[in-house]
Amino acid sequence: MDKISIPWLTICVCTCTISGVGTNNIALGKPATQSSVTLNGTPDRAVDGNRDSTFWRKSCIHTLHGETDQWWSVDLLSTYRINTVRIQNRGDEDGFKFHDFEVEVYKQSPGHCPGANKTTCASHPGAANLGENVQLTCAEGTIGRYVKLLKLPQFISSPEDALIICEVEIEGFLVHPCLKERQFHKHAGNKMQSPNPTNTGLTRAECSRRCYYDNGCYGINIRVTDDECQLITEFDSNTLADDSGWNYYRLC
């Protein structure tokens, strides 16, 4: 049974079980992000179920050329034991640009939680073949919610280099609550910018519980003077604004 303790916005969960039923593609349709976008190569294209390897058929992602930090990431919305990651390389003229890459797995959001610990699933030295469907088998015991694919920066030398892939498929087993500890980190006098509605009449403990049980919640804004809070679930800007009337709590 889960046991939750909230002395001051600290949540501990004590149970961990692994489902005996695997899933075919746990990445399909899940929220995805990437380091940058060009030529309309948006991150959702890699989890749309379309393996078409021709970029101009609008089936592949594309980051900016020449970046030293080129990556793509998906939020699986639950914690899984990751077994296999399959990546569809571009099959037309620029497929050679997919080279020297690594797959990392995180239990916490690497974009939202500084210092989030990673597990390296697997790495691929050298270039993938044009149109190749690269299959990587994760190291034993690879567990997490966020899967990140990145090109190793030490091998990015050309100003024309970019991350271009056409589909990512992930297989694994669902892990039921296995978050040993999650803590809200306070940003006093700040408010995270969000279009989400505020909730009135909620205590700080009630608001923190709502955030914990919402897989898409990354933090909460709490008004200093009364019981009003806002759950943060969208990170289009990830912008903290100075506001002495609010405190922001980042969940990691």
Side-chain angles (χ1 to χ4, degrees):
M1 180 175 65
D2 294 350
K3 181 179 181 181
I4 298 177
S5 170
I6 311 182
W8 171 237
L9 297 181
T10 299
I11 297 177
C12 300
V13 178
C14 307
T15 60
C16 177
T17 58
I18 298 178
S19 169
V21 179
T23 52
N24 291 326
N25 180 14
I26 56 180
L28 183 63
K30 299 294 176 62
T33 55
Q34 64 194 51
S35 54
S36 61
V37 177
T38 191
L39 300 173
N40 294 318
T42 54
D44 56 292
R45 288 185 176 183
V47 287
D48 62 0
N50 183 4
R51 290 184 183 175
D52 191 329
S53 63
T54 301
F55 178 80
W56 303 111
R57 293 177 185 158
K58 302 180 180 180
S59 61
C60 309
I61 73 131
H62 199 312
T63 65
L64 287 170
H65 294 94
E67 281 186 317
T68 56
D69 186 21
Q70 300 175 12
W71 56 266
W72 175 93
S73 179
V74 61
D75 178 358
L76 301 175
L77 298 179
S78 292
T79 302
Y80 291 85
R81 185 179 68 191
I82 310 298
N83 294 335
T84 304
V85 178
R86 293 188 301 273
I87 308 157
Q88 179 61 53
N89 186 26
R90 183 174 179 175
D92 50 14
E93 66 272 12
D94 279 348
F96 68 91
K97 293 181 178 179
F98 189 39
H99 62 86
D100 299 294
F101 52 90
E102 182 173 275
V103 174
E104 300 172 347
V105 177
Y106 297 78
K107 292 181 180 178
Q108 299 172 319
S109 167
H112 183 60
C113 299
N117 292 325
K118 72 175 182 179
T119 298
T120 300
C121 158
S123 58
H124 186 287
N129 296 323
L130 294 182
E132 181 182 358
N133 190 264
V134 180
Q135 179 167 309
L136 300 176
T137 301
C138 287
E140 185 71 23
T142 299
I143 293 176
R145 169 175 166 173
Y146 303 88
V147 177
K148 184 177 183 180
L149 168 66
L150 70 158
K151 293 176 73 172
L152 298 173
Q154 63 267 35
F155 296 104
I156 299 174
S157 57
S158 169
E160 294 302 313
D161 214 338
L163 178 60
I164 312 169
I165 54 173
C166 301
E167 193 69 16
V168 176
E169 298 169 300
I170 301 172
E171 293 184 359
F173 292 85
L174 181 65
V175 176
H176 296 292
C178 192
L179 298 171
K180 296 181 179 178
E181 182 174 347
R182 301 182 76 191
Q183 218 170 14
F184 286 91
H185 301 267
K186 184 177 181 180
H187 297 259
N190 293 125
K191 184 180 182 183
M192 181 64 72
Q193 299 300 289
S194 171
N196 295 336
T198 58
N199 300 281
T200 57
L202 294 179
T203 66
R204 292 170 177 173
E206 289 169 340
C207 191
S208 65
R209 284 177 181 271
R210 285 197 180 188
C211 184
Y212 172 76
Y213 285 111
D214 182 341
N215 281 335
C217 185
Y218 294 90
I220 48 179
N221 288 322
I222 294 183
R223 188 182 290 277
V224 174
T225 56
D226 55 23
D227 291 334
E228 183 177 1
C229 73
Q230 182 183 38
L231 273 62
I232 307 301
T233 56
E234 296 293 337
F235 272 89
D236 293 335
S237 62
N238 197 15
T239 302
L240 271 177
D242 292 333
D243 191 328
S244 60
W246 291 81
N247 293 325
Y248 173 61
Y249 296 84
R250 173 172 45 87
L251 179 59
C252 290

